[in-house]
Amino acid sequence: MNRTPIIAGNWKMHKTVGEAREFAYAIRNHKVESAVEMVVCAPFTSLSALAEELKGSEVRVGAQNMHYEASGAYTGEISPGMLTDLGIHYVIIGHSERREYFAETDETVNKKAKAAFANGLVPIVCVGENLAQYESGETKAHIRNQVIRAVEGLSSEQTKQLVIAYEPIWAIGTGKSSSVDDAQDVIGFIRSTVEDAFDSQVAVQVRILYGGSVKPENIASYMEQPDIDGALVGGASLAADSYLQLVQGVVGGK
Ligand code: 13P
C-alpha cells in the first residue's frame, strides 16, 4: 500500500497575516520530486490569506482547531463550515496543548472528528502520552484508549482518509525527540489498534505521522520506518527554508 507522506507544519500561535503571506510566497512554487503532501496549519486569522496565496499550488492549508457545532451562541469559536468556506482542507483535532490548556477531551475530539468529515474536512487527530505515563510504561494503554475513542462511530471510508499524529508530549518543543525505534513501535501499534477497531484494509490506508522535535536533520530517519507516514512539525516549520528542507527530507527517507 502506497500512502502519500505528509509534512504538516503546525504554526501554533505564530505569524501575522503579513508573515503568513511571505511564507506562502516562499514555498508556493516548490516542486517535489516524488509525492509528498505539503500542509500548513495556521492560526484562524491567517487562513484566508494562506488559502488565497496557495490556491493552485501543491500546498494544502489546515486549521488548528474548530468547534463541532455548525453555528450558534459559542462566542470565540469557529465552525467547520466556516473553514470549508475558505478552502481549508485539514483541521488538527485534539493537539496535546488543546487537551492540556483548553479542556479538549476524548469526547470532544470524537465529536470534532465526525463534524470535520461531515463537512468535507480531513481531521489530523493528535494522540500522545505525557512524561509520567511514558516513564511508568503506560504509553500503549493510553494511546490505544485515545485512538479508539477518537474513531468511535466513524465509518471505514472516513477512517481510511483520517490522519493520526503521534506526538509524545515530553518530546514537543523540548528538543528531545522520541527515538526512531520507539516512534515506529508506537505508530505500528496505532496501526494495529485501527485494525482492531475496523479491519486491515482501513489500517493499511490510514496515515500516521510522528511529531515532537522533528527537524530537517532527523526527518529522514523517521521516514525510513515502515509505519511512519510523515511528520507534524512545530518549531521547525516556521521558517520557509526549514519547512522546505523537511519536505526534501521526506523524499530522501522514503
Ligand atoms: P515541535 O516540532 O516544536 O516539537 O512541536 C511539535 C508539535 O506539537 C506539532 O504539533
Side-chain angles (χ1 to χ4, degrees):
M1 178 71 215
N2 265 348
R3 297 181 295 267
T4 305
I6 300 179
I7 288 294
N10 172 13
W11 285 354
K12 309 191 178 183
M13 196 170 71
H14 292 284
K15 293 193 193 293
T16 61
V17 175
E19 290 164 345
R21 280 191 201 276
E22 272 174 36
F23 185 97
Y25 302 150
I27 67 161
R28 67 182 172 191
N29 293 322
H30 187 76
K31 289 271 172 280
V32 282
E33 297 145 38
S34 60
V36 179
E37 227 183 291
M38 297 164 69
V39 180
V40 177
C41 300
F44 291 128
T45 45
S46 292
L47 291 179
S48 178
L50 274 185
E52 185 187 308
E53 301 295 355
L54 294 172
K55 202 169 178 180
S57 79
E58 293 184 13
V59 187
R60 286 178 158 161
V61 182
Q64 298 173 9
N65 181 39
M66 62 172 201
H67 200 288
Y68 48 82
E69 293 289 354
S71 62
Y74 301 104
T75 302
E77 291 293 318
I78 300 289
S79 75
M82 292 172 187
L83 298 178
T84 40
D85 181 49
L86 297 179
I88 302 308
H89 190 90
Y90 286 104
V91 57
I92 297 175
I93 303 288
H95 190 280
S96 61
E97 287 148 18
R98 295 218 59 87
R99 292 179 191 256
E100 185 176 352
Y101 308 130
F102 302 100
E104 191 83 83
T105 63
D106 289 330
E107 191 187 346
T108 57
V109 167
N110 179 249
K111 283 183 174 171
K112 289 179 181 188
K114 286 178 181 155
F117 279 123
N119 286 275
L121 293 159
V122 176
I124 301 174
V125 170
C126 300
V127 296
E129 80 285 2
N130 64 27
L131 188 60
Q133 290 164 326
Y134 174 72
E135 285 178 342
S136 60
E138 293 165 45
T139 296
K140 286 187 176 169
H142 177 69
I143 299 290
R144 185 177 174 85
N145 187 47
Q146 282 187 322
V147 170
I148 300 251
R149 299 208 45 199
V151 300
E152 223 170 76
L154 295 183
S155 70
S156 296
E157 283 314 306
Q158 289 171 334
T159 309
K160 282 178 187 170
Q161 296 172 51
L162 179 69
V163 179
I164 298 175
Y166 167 56
E167 301 202 307
I169 297 170
W170 48 269
I172 295 177
T174 57
K176 272 195 280 174
S177 51
S178 167
S179 79
V180 170
D181 289 345
D182 281 355
Q184 162 58 33
D185 184 40
V186 176
I187 288 177
F189 175 76
I190 292 173
R191 202 174 296 290
S192 61
T193 302
V194 172
E195 180 167 348
D196 293 346
F198 292 90
D199 56 41
S200 59
Q201 300 272 6
V202 175
V204 83
Q205 290 198 45
V206 64
R207 288 181 292 176
I208 313 178
L209 315 181
Y210 168 73
S213 298
V214 172
K215 305 207 162 16
E217 302 79 58
N218 61 19
I219 181 69
S221 58
Y222 289 108
M223 294 312 301
E224 282 162 7
Q225 302 303 309
D227 284 298
I228 303 183
D229 302 318
L232 182 59
V233 188
S237 76
L238 288 170
D241 56 349
S242 166
Y243 177 82
L244 291 177
Q245 282 171 36
L246 288 163
V247 172
Q248 283 310 123
V250 172
V251 178
K254 278 283 172 198

